[in-house]
Amino acid sequence: MRKYQLIAFCMAGLLACLQFGCSSDSREESFELPETISYNFDIRPILSDKCFKCHGPDGNTIEAGLRLDIPDSAYAPLKETKGSFAIVPGKPDESELLRRISSQDPDYQMPTPESHLGSLTPYQVELFRKWIQQGAKYEKHWAFVLPQKSPLPLFKTKEGLNNEIDYFIRARLKEKGLEPNPPADKERLLKRLAFDLTGLPPSEELMNSFLVDEDPDAYTNMVDKLLDLPQYGEKMALHWLDLARYADSYGYQDDNIRTQWAWRDWLIHSFNSNMPYDQFVTWQLAGDMLPDATKEQVLATAFFRNHKYTEEGGVIPEEYRVEYVIDKTKTYGKAILGLTIECAQCHDHKYDPISQKDYFSIYAFFNNTKELGFEGDILVSKPAKKPILTISDDDVRNMMKFINKKDTGQLMVSVMGERDTLRKTYLLNRGAYDQPGEEVSPIGLQSVMKYDTLSLPKNRIGLANWTVSKQNPLTARVFVNQLWQEFFGRGLVKTSGDFGMQGELPSHPELLDWLAVDFMENGWNIKRLVKQLVMSATYQQSAKISKKSLDLDPENVFLSHAPRNRLKAEWVRDMVLASSGLLVPDIGGPSVKPYQPDGLWETATSGRGELATYKQDKGDALYRRGMYTFIKLTVPPPSLMLFDASNRDQCEVKRLQTNTPLQALAMLNDPMILEASRVFAQRLLESDTNAQTNIQNAFRRIVCRKATKKELAILLKYYDEQLALFRSKKLAAKETLAVGEYKHNPDLDSNLQAALMKTIHLIYNMEESIVKT
């Protein structure tokens, strides 16, 4: 009978995998259980997926009075099954939980078939059996436990171990039966490094100097050189702009212009000046409330004012004011704490220990600002909404030289500002603005870390201090994970915006904690952390994929090779402009409007305001970096959206990465890429008419390595074919060259230029051109 039960278990497990998906590893396939079962890493993820819907922290959905997320309830006598206990530590056969999850009786089985949550696999059932046998010990959620530095794994030799990162990565590779790759060649490594530290391809001068540099410290010196470039701040700012939902318009129907770009200039400056992360967060949370706050500190708080803002008539001001506070609360939780606290806006969180009251206690910190839900006259759109920071030319000359102010008018920015009298905060029933319930006070999430009201004020200053305390288990972990994601394409915690119960477990928990503690111990130094990442052998390894690593680790979770990621949307544009010589390298300033298909804005407008029609810029403004492209919330830039840029509608901690035919169409037809190809060809021909030399130079500047003989032969053949077609008038050279506004050189042979332009355009359309490594 036991044999047939096991067969039934296996069949049920197989059906569950087919129907609901499985995350089994090699241990599950071999039925090999861990020696010690961990609640956090083995049991809690199953409970979260299968049980917490009815037996979790949400008091409104608890069935049978049983909560399985806390031991006091799980060990208590069951209310509906007399004499039984869900879990009896040390006695699996007496535990009703084990009986239920292993049963095949649909009237007795848990989860119930009606829940559509799927049965547990035999492996999962045995995990529970062994866990209960070992005492059914509960643990605080891993992300809410203060990180500690684990001892470094031991190795017989230090070869290939550049720093502490490599010890932890190598240990996991060894555990999985994998080996790391050898280092990447210098050309590919420099391209990767340059894009990761500046968002731009390496210049020809950098490539030449790095390739011939035999100094053992050549790579280290290159890292330091790139970290010192002002473009480093631009690169680092791009991710934070996604978190901050930065845009150049208000959204909603009218979607008029606003002037928050001075905050973007501050953001770039803060990264270039290597502002410590704890200060960086504090200024953005509560810079206006610091003693004798400077205009720069107040400007930093514009981070929380980048949300959408309605200018439509007939709105209810309080409804939208509440909406803005909700946006701030969500942004704070997701960007800085890495938690989905917004799930508790209308009810207790279904999975995390965050009640609705906890949510509104965080909300209360942002509920006392001077911001209004609606300012009145819909006929007059203002570039900033109250409270406002006004920045004059004198301010820029004397204290904020980092602002790239291009006119003599006063610059206005929406910032945070605290009311003189306290606005009471109420728990809003079902999250509705007009259904206040019990009064709540500002207080941090107690499940994360105690909020000491004796030492911390109940305002944004207190929240900032609580957030950046070294006793807060989340803040450093979340930021370290986001940076890891920026450099490796995937965070050590894959769900970088969710460190809660439903988030992914860290792939390398000891490494994440080691880096978080080290980050805090070293003054929250961001540049130091960046350098640690890129100096590791893990970062510098080749991206070649072996069959073994593809079979054992198809998603490269354990980093047996360097990840292969496409450039961010803005960097695709930057790469084209920089390699062609068109890029205008000004740092900061107002956003610009480059080429865009006609009629897009006009199809999504109320007809009011200066953004009703798209007015393309001229001259240098056409050739600015992608991060300065004007973002209208109702119609984001199409060339950026095609390559998965954030639409900036809300806080976004990780961009999608898709591959669609539209991306290929954009690379083939975008007037910016066609113009860059024309100008690149023009500049090459002005110096040399030798086709082979020009193609070699173009290839190297675009792909960032020398072309192989085979690649060069293919490109030369294509060039010759195109030249023949232009000379025979089967293709029209002048029509081909008639793209873009950059000045033409009438002295050049149009056939030669058009043929070279098309060859360069072909190089831009190589897949390798738009991948980082």
Side-chain angles (χ1 to χ4, degrees):
M1 186 67 182
R2 179 76 177 167
K3 179 176 74 173
Y4 293 110
Q5 284 180 331
L6 182 59
I7 292 172
F9 276 149
C10 292
M11 290 300 294
L14 176 61
L15 288 171
C17 286
L18 292 173
Q19 187 174 1
F20 300 103
C22 256
S23 58
S24 61
D25 58 17
S26 57
R27 285 191 315 201
E28 179 157 354
E29 292 170 6
S30 64
F31 219 81
E32 178 188 346
L33 297 172
E35 184 176 338
T36 302
I37 308 299
S38 163
Y39 172 77
N40 267 340
F41 287 86
D42 298 312
I43 300 300
R44 200 266 310 148
I46 304 172
L47 288 173
S48 186
D49 282 342
K50 306 289 187 180
C51 308
F52 283 176
K53 181 179 179 181
C54 302
H55 304 291
D58 185 359
N60 296 319
T61 62
I62 291 176
E63 298 284 345
L66 173 64
R67 285 183 62 175
L68 292 173
D69 62 313
I70 51 176
D72 289 348
S73 174
Y75 299 160
L78 292 172
K79 295 179 179 179
E80 296 187 5
T81 309
K82 298 296 183 182
S84 295
F85 299 79
I87 296 174
V88 181
K91 299 179 180 180
D93 292 335
E94 296 181 20
S95 300
E96 186 72 10
L97 170 69
L98 190 66
R99 297 190 191 115
R100 295 265 185 162
I101 63 174
S102 58
S103 173
Q104 296 301 299
D105 182 349
D107 294 328
Y108 185 71
Q109 178 186 39
M110 290 291 172
T112 63
E114 295 80 15
S115 69
H116 302 293
L117 293 170
S119 303
L120 273 67
T121 66
Y123 177 81
Q124 292 171 329
V125 171
E126 292 306 314
L127 275 175
F128 273 91
R129 181 184 300 279
K130 189 170 182 179
W131 175 64
I132 296 172
Q133 184 68 54
Q134 292 179 347
K137 295 177 182 176
Y138 276 74
E139 301 161 349
K140 192 175 182 181
H141 179 51
W142 71 268
F144 299 163
V145 177
L146 200 63
Q148 303 288 335
K149 269 189 172 180
S150 300
L152 296 182
L154 297 175
F155 290 95
K156 293 180 181 179
T157 174
K158 293 185 178 181
E159 184 179 354
L161 301 171
N162 290 2
N163 61 24
E164 294 84 358
I165 290 170
D166 299 320
Y167 282 84
F168 291 105
I169 296 294
R170 186 71 60 86
R172 288 289 273 157
L173 287 175
K174 185 178 180 182
E175 180 185 317
K176 296 296 177 181
L178 293 166
E179 292 289 334
N181 266 359
D185 63 73
K186 292 184 81 172
E187 288 181 310
R188 288 176 174 84
L189 182 56
L190 179 59
K191 177 183 181 179
R192 181 191 310 170
L193 183 69
F195 273 109
D196 274 335
L197 296 187
T198 68
L200 292 170
S203 66
E204 203 166 4
E205 293 75 23
L206 282 180
M207 287 190 280
N208 290 337
S209 65
F210 186 60
L211 287 181
V212 300
D213 193 343
E214 299 296 332
D215 187 336
D217 295 324
Y219 180 76
T220 305
N221 296 335
M222 182 58 68
V223 170
D224 291 337
K225 182 180 291 187
L226 292 171
L227 285 173
D228 286 340
L229 292 176
Q231 288 75 27
Y232 163 80
E234 291 180 307
K235 184 271 169 185
M236 294 293 290
L238 184 58
H239 170 66
W240 203 260
L241 291 174
D242 286 355
L243 296 179
R245 61 267 188 265
Y246 172 86
D248 299 291
S249 69
Y250 288 119
Y252 294 107
Q253 184 177 355
D254 286 352
D255 204 12
N256 282 319
I257 192 170
R258 63 177 171 189
T259 52
Q260 293 294 91
W261 58 263
W263 172 79
R264 181 178 59 193
D265 286 8
W266 172 83
L267 184 63
I268 295 168
H269 166 71
S270 68
F271 281 114
N272 277 330
S273 61
N274 200 25
M275 180 181 288
Y277 185 67
D278 56 344
Q279 179 182 328
F280 178 75
V281 168
T282 298
W283 283 22
Q284 291 181 90
L285 261 172
D288 59 306
M289 300 180 71
L290 293 171
D292 301 316
T294 66
K295 280 197 170 185
E296 181 181 350
Q297 291 170 328
V298 176
L299 175 60
T301 66
F303 171 78
F304 280 108
R305 296 297 307 281
N306 289 322
H307 54 72
K308 296 188 291 185
Y309 193 100
T310 186
E311 294 189 314
E312 300 166 27
V315 303
I316 301 172
E318 180 62 8
E319 178 183 6
Y320 280 87
R321 190 195 68 79
V322 168
E323 192 67 30
Y324 306 152
V325 180
I326 287 171
D327 182 280
K328 294 176 180 65
T329 308
K330 177 180 180 179
T331 299
Y332 166 76
K334 192 173 185 180
I336 298 173
L337 293 185
L339 292 176
T340 56
I341 63 175
E342 70 273 12
C343 295
Q345 178 189 334
C346 305
H347 48 71
D348 292 348
H349 202 292
K350 298 290 185 184
Y351 302 99
D352 295 339
I354 303 172
S355 67
Q356 192 181 15
K357 185 175 181 179
D358 292 334
Y359 171 86
F360 280 99
S361 295
I362 294 291
Y363 169 102
F365 285 107
F366 302 102
N367 195 38
N368 204 46
T369 66
K370 297 177 181 178
E371 184 175 16
L372 304 175
F374 182 67
E375 290 197 2
D377 191 350
I378 64 170
L379 300 177
V380 181
S381 177
K382 300 173 183 177
K385 304 298 181 185
K386 299 174 184 176
I388 291 171
L389 176 68
T390 302
I391 301 172
S392 67
D393 288 343
D394 284 342
D395 293 328
V396 173
R397 281 193 296 266
N398 298 324
M399 67 176 79
M400 292 189 279
K401 295 179 181 178
F402 55 84
I403 296 180
N404 187 357
K405 193 167 179 293
K406 296 182 180 295
D407 57 41
T408 57
Q410 285 192 329
L411 177 61
M412 292 188 289
V413 184
S414 300
V415 293
M416 297 290 277
E418 201 76 352
R419 284 161 46 101
D420 296 329
T421 56
L422 182 67
R423 175 188 282 120
K424 290 185 176 182
T425 298
Y426 300 93
L427 184 152
L428 301 179
N429 296 324
R430 302 176 68 184
Y433 79 96
D434 57 353
Q435 294 189 35
E438 67 172 297
E439 185 177 347
V440 298
S441 298
I443 195 167
L445 295 174
Q446 298 292 79
S447 57
V448 173
M449 175 185 137
K450 182 181 178 182
Y451 192 95
D452 187 352
T453 55
L454 296 178
S455 60
L456 296 174
K458 292 184 176 183
N459 56 29
R460 283 183 285 117
I461 286 285
L463 180 63
N465 291 335
W466 179 85
T467 302
V468 300
S469 167
K470 290 183 179 179
Q471 299 305 306
N472 189 312
L474 284 172
T475 307
R477 272 192 182 120
V478 168
F479 183 70
V480 165
N481 191 65
Q482 288 178 10
L483 268 196
W484 187 278
Q485 173 184 279
E486 284 293 289
F487 286 84
F488 292 95
R490 171 192 172 115
L492 293 168
V493 176
K494 184 180 178 181
T495 52
S496 48
D498 185 3
F499 275 52
M501 303 287 188
Q502 285 295 89
E504 293 270 352
L505 293 168
S507 58
H508 300 76
E510 294 85 2
L511 172 57
L512 177 62
D513 284 6
W514 194 97
L515 286 172
V517 174
D518 189 66
F519 182 50
M520 292 186 286
E521 287 177 345
N522 288 278
W524 304 79
N525 188 322
I526 298 174
K527 276 194 178 181
R528 181 182 178 277
L529 174 58
V530 168
K531 188 171 181 179
Q532 277 180 301
L533 299 181
V534 300
M535 289 301 297
S536 68
T538 303
Y539 176 83
Q540 296 174 50
Q541 64 185 333
S542 163
K544 291 180 180 178
I545 307 174
S546 68
K547 185 179 185 306
K548 183 179 180 182
S549 66
L550 188 61
D551 290 342
L552 295 180
D553 186 20
E555 294 186 38
N556 197 29
V557 173
F558 303 107
L559 293 167
S560 60
H561 56 86
R564 184 178 174 277
N565 297 314
R566 194 191 62 229
L567 300 179
K568 288 192 176 185
E570 292 85 351
W571 300 354
V572 172
R573 173 183 173 83
D574 297 347
M575 179 275 295
V576 173
L577 292 175
S579 58
S580 66
L582 273 174
L583 183 67
V584 174
D586 288 356
I587 306 290
S591 295
V592 296
K593 302 184 186 72
Y595 305 124
Q596 180 172 293
D598 293 337
L600 289 183
W601 281 19
E602 290 76 6
T603 60
T605 178
S606 66
R608 291 193 293 264
E610 59 182 289
L611 300 185
T613 58
Y614 189 78
K615 297 172 184 175
Q616 179 199 298
D617 284 325
K618 303 290 182 181
D620 286 354
L622 289 173
Y623 312 115
R624 298 290 307 284
R625 291 194 68 167
M627 69 181 299
Y628 300 118
T629 298
F630 193 99
I631 296 178
K632 183 180 182 183
L633 282 172
T634 52
V635 192
S639 60
L640 298 184
M641 297 308 295
L642 286 177
F643 285 95
D644 307 314
S646 169
N647 64 11
R648 302 288 171 76
D649 191 59
Q650 59 181 341
C651 173
E652 187 170 321
V653 295
K654 183 180 181 180
R655 295 184 179 185
L656 296 174
Q657 186 163 110
T658 63
N659 291 291
T660 73
L662 290 176
Q663 293 164 1
L665 286 172
M667 293 301 297
L668 285 168
N669 298 294
D670 190 321
M672 181 271 294
I673 298 175
L674 291 167
E675 180 183 27
S677 303
R678 172 181 70 80
V679 174
F680 201 170
Q682 178 176 307
R683 289 178 171 174
L684 290 169
L685 287 170
E686 287 170 347
S687 300
D688 194 335
T689 57
N690 183 283
Q692 180 169 325
T693 301
N694 286 335
I695 292 171
Q696 285 175 321
N697 288 338
F699 187 97
R700 189 171 185 227
R701 282 164 58 179
I702 295 169
V703 186
C704 303
R705 65 172 176 83
K706 294 177 181 177
T708 64
K709 289 183 179 179
K710 183 177 180 181
E711 289 167 334
L712 186 57
I714 292 171
L715 291 169
L716 276 169
K717 182 181 178 183
Y718 178 77
Y719 171 84
D720 290 337
E721 290 171 352
Q722 296 304 302
L723 182 59
L725 290 171
F726 283 120
R727 283 177 170 167
S728 65
K729 306 300 182 185
K730 291 181 180 178
L731 291 176
K734 289 188 177 180
E735 290 181 13
T736 300
L737 296 171
V739 60
E741 299 190 5
Y742 192 85
K743 63 180 184 293
H744 291 251
N745 185 344
D747 298 330
L748 295 178
D749 183 312
S750 60
N751 292 324
L752 291 177
Q753 185 180 356
L756 184 57
M757 170 188 168
K758 291 198 71 176
T759 307
I760 291 171
H761 189 231
L762 176 62
I763 299 171
Y764 278 129
N765 278 271
M766 289 174 57
E767 186 186 20
E768 188 178 349
S769 299
I770 60 170
V771 294
K772 189 174 67 175
T773 186

